Amino acid sequence: MPLAPADSEEARGGSVWVSSHTAGTIYQLLLTDQNHFVGKYCCIINDIRKLYRLGALATLNETQGGSLVFKGGHVEVADRKMFYTFWRALVQNGDVRGGSRQGASSHQSDDEQFEILFPNRWGNLLFGTRNGGTWFQTEAYGFTDKSWWNGSKDTIGHVSTTVQHYATKWTPKVATRQVGTCGYSTYTEKEGTQLRVPFGLCPNEPD
């Protein structure tokens, strides 16, 4: 499955050399790396782009490009755990790289948390459950790569981005920020700051 066509915001393009990425520049980078997303990875990336876009529309009543999901925004989906079950099976069956993040995550989840490691240094997808549905966010660095070199770099990187996250959390008058592969997001798991996809807007099945 190829990368899904650009949505209206992603189609705006822009320079990929700017310091602050837009949906358009992130989408261009995804297109450049598309050959790395073999198997189920493109399916997952297409789904999280779509869910992020739906969440912004439902929560904020505004259109945002789906590729902004790679800035780390926290999204909660009223899907009766459909995406959680699907993504967990991909990890457990070895269809994608990743593993359990239980005990290695500060986020609240009603079920065991997992992560999917994206290829070519695109970070990871962390996901769990809450309120009977799936929640997810992208991160700049994963936690479950078992190779010595990549695993060490990920661990150091994850600690660094965690420090960045908590630095904003503890700084007065500064909005807490999630740290994604392509920037920062103020959509966190804190009640009232996450993006929500209501049941009526949720896709019937993953791509």
Side-chain angles (χ1 to χ4, degrees):
M1 171 183 288
L3 201 65
D7 59 43
S8 60
E9 298 301 314
E10 292 171 335
R12 293 177 182 271
S15 172
V16 298
W17 305 112
V18 297
S19 59
S20 180
H21 282 296
T22 66
T25 61
I26 297 171
Y27 184 76
Q28 288 180 56
L29 292 170
L30 287 170
L31 280 178
T32 300
D33 284 351
Q34 185 170 199
N35 290 338
H36 293 279
F37 306 138
V38 296
K40 296 294 185 181
Y41 289 107
C42 244
C43 167
I44 297 165
I45 290 171
N46 289 338
D47 278 334
I48 62 175
R49 286 169 53 218
K50 180 190 299 181
L51 291 170
Y52 181 95
R53 186 174 174 83
L54 290 172
L57 185 63
T59 309
L60 308 171
N61 195 29
E62 65 181 48
T63 301
Q64 292 191 21
S67 292
L68 291 176
V69 70
F70 281 100
K71 288 194 171 187
H74 193 91
V75 184
E76 193 168 300
V77 189
D79 62 347
R80 298 175 180 170
K81 304 183 184 182
M82 175 183 67
F83 282 99
Y84 173 84
T85 303
F86 177 65
W87 294 335
R88 179 185 61 186
L90 293 180
V91 174
Q92 292 178 331
N93 293 338
D95 296 317
V96 294
R97 294 175 60 241
S100 173
R101 279 279 295 274
Q102 199 67 11
S105 170
S106 62
H107 300 281
Q108 187 275 326
S109 180
D110 297 333
D111 293 286
E112 185 176 7
Q113 295 177 58
F114 290 86
E115 74 175 12
I116 292 170
L117 298 170
F118 288 124
N120 206 36
R121 310 308 297 175
W122 272 91
N124 68 293
L125 177 71
L126 177 68
F127 61 96
T129 63
R130 191 182 304 121
N131 300 323
T134 302
W135 63 258
F136 69 89
Q137 63 187 50
T138 63
E139 298 177 324
Y141 297 95
F143 225 95
T144 57
D145 194 321
K146 301 303 181 184
S147 67
W148 181 86
W149 179 242
N150 286 334
S152 298
K153 288 193 296 184
D154 280 350
T155 299
I156 294 169
H158 198 94
V159 170
S160 172
T161 56
T162 300
V163 170
Q164 292 179 58
H165 168 74
Y166 279 104
T168 61
K169 189 172 184 178
W170 295 329
T171 304
K173 299 182 181 179
V174 174
T176 302
R177 298 189 300 180
Q178 300 286 107
V179 185
T181 310
C182 295
Y184 303 94
S185 175
T186 56
Y187 307 132
T188 74
E189 73 175 304
K190 182 181 178 182
E191 189 64 32
T193 67
Q194 70 273 76
L195 299 180
R196 294 182 183 274
V197 182
F199 181 76
L201 285 182
C202 184
N204 291 326
E205 60 183 18
D207 282 336

